[in-house]
Amino acid sequence: LAFAAAAGAAAQDVYPNKPVRLIVGLAPGGLADQIARLLGPGLSKELGQQVVVENRTGATGTIAARMVADSPPDGYIIMLGLDGSLIIPVALNPKTPFDPLKDFTPITKVAETPLILVAHPSVPVTGLADLINQSRSAGGEKLFYYGTAGVGSSTHLAGEYLKLLTGLRMTHVAYKGAGEATRDNVGGQIPLTFSALPSALPFVKSAKLKGLAVTSDKRFAGLPDVPTAAESGLPSLREFNLQAWGGLFGPPGMPEPIVRKVHDAAIKVLADRELIEKYANIALTVSTTTPAQLAKQVATELEQWRRVIR
């Protein structure tokens, strides 16, 4: 047993001695993919081995999550997981084939971004409070349809959560992805969309869409004129703060020395000013945690979304 333990420790000391696969469970070009591909080169440099980003799409990230959960915990397969692919599916469906609390080893959160409620410029509302008031008027609900990336997406649930808290009356329209919803919003086929900020940012900046509110507790630096939901003045939104985020996870049972090595490498990479600016250009803010802090955030948000869904 002593010799085996020594051999295991020696193997961890030389980690990594071959390329590391960074699994992304969603399509190329999406939020998770962008976070991973910007992080990959720096992580390769710090670990001394190539970090290869690999897209394993299907079932809104479930296929990739299950694959990582079933992988050896040797640090050569890690995952860039989103709250929307790791937490919300489980909150919606107890039969989801993984448990975010037991089937993964948290390493660090990487980046986050607020959600944003936007309107076509022709929609005669000045902000969130005005939208709420108009939607409560006779027939108001028929005026306001909001598009999202799909049923059960983080943006769909955020919209329903906002309705629960404020009495806002609007009707959900599910699209196959955020890009399709945003395209129809820009074209005037649908008055509102709820999306992660990166999807809407260029259209709000170019005035093709009108930003009504972001879901963070502070205004987003890149859109200083768009207020937070809390600034609507409604007491129920005083502490309203929803962020979409991505983080690094490994299979269950990763040895602590390997977790620490990946964590420390990622923290060093994410402190680089050039990378911070690259993330900011696509509406992402670097946000790092310890493994314990990330585990706590997963547990807290899982219970929050279960409560909202109920």
Side-chain angles (χ1 to χ4, degrees), residues 128-178:
L128 180 58
D130 186 27
L131 174 66
I132 293 168
N133 290 333
Q134 288 196 42
S135 76
R136 290 170 171 172
S137 63
E141 188 172 3
K142 296 180 180 179
L143 299 175
F144 300 115
Y145 291 84
Y146 78 103
T148 73
V151 174
S153 65
S154 58
T155 47
H156 174 206
L157 294 181
E160 296 304 305
Y161 189 27
L162 191 63
K163 289 163 65 177
L164 283 171
L165 292 174
T166 65
L168 170 62
R169 298 174 65 195
M170 58 182 184
T171 302
H172 180 235
V173 179
Y175 283 80
K176 292 181 180 179

Side-chain angles (χ1 to χ4, degrees), residues 18-241:
K18 61 180 181 180
V20 175
R21 296 162 65 192
L22 177 53
I23 306 300
V24 176
L26 300 170
L31 182 61
D33 186 66
Q34 292 182 75
I35 293 173
R37 292 189 185 277
L38 287 173
L39 179 66
L43 209 52
S44 297
K45 181 180 178 181
E46 289 301 320
L47 291 175
Q49 289 285 346
Q50 186 178 11
V51 175
V52 181
V53 177
E54 182 179 322
N55 296 87
R56 283 289 188 99
T57 60
T60 322
T62 297
I63 291 174
R66 188 64 259 171
M67 186 205 93
V68 173
D70 291 337
S71 297
D74 54 12
Y76 290 101
I77 290 182
I78 56 178
M79 175 175 65
L80 195 293
L82 295 182
D83 60 314
S85 59
L86 282 183
I87 297 173
I88 288 177
V90 177
L92 278 166
N93 181 10
K95 295 182 180 179
T96 301
F98 62 82
D99 183 332
L101 302 178
K102 297 177 181 179
D103 288 341
F104 307 100
T105 298
I107 300 173
T108 182
K109 193 162 75 168
V110 175
E112 63 187 12
T113 185
L115 309 179
I116 185 170
L117 181 61
V118 294
H120 187 267
S122 65
V123 178
V125 294
T126 57
L128 180 58
D130 186 27
L131 174 66
I132 293 168
N133 290 333
Q134 288 196 42
S135 76
R136 290 170 171 172
S137 63
E141 188 172 3
K142 296 180 180 179
L143 299 175
F144 300 115
Y145 291 84
Y146 78 103
T148 73
V151 174
S153 65
S154 58
T155 47
H156 174 206
L157 294 181
E160 296 304 305
Y161 189 27
L162 191 63
K163 289 163 65 177
L164 283 171
L165 292 174
T166 65
L168 170 62
R169 298 174 65 195
M170 58 182 184
T171 302
H172 180 235
V173 179
Y175 283 80
K176 292 181 180 179
E180 290 186 14
T182 300
R183 184 179 63 242
D184 271 9
N185 196 190
V186 171
Q189 281 80 36
I190 192 167
L192 306 167
T193 54
F194 223 134
S195 68
L197 189 51
S199 298
L201 181 63
F203 301 104
V204 177
K205 281 191 168 183
S206 62
K208 292 180 179 178
L209 291 175
K210 178 167 51 177
L212 301 182
V214 292
T215 63
S216 48
D217 56 355
K218 297 177 182 177
R219 293 194 182 196
F220 180 70
L223 294 174
D225 295 332
V226 179
T228 67
E231 289 179 288
S232 65
L234 276 74
S236 59
L237 296 179
R238 194 169 292 142
E239 297 181 6
F240 189 75
N241 182 17

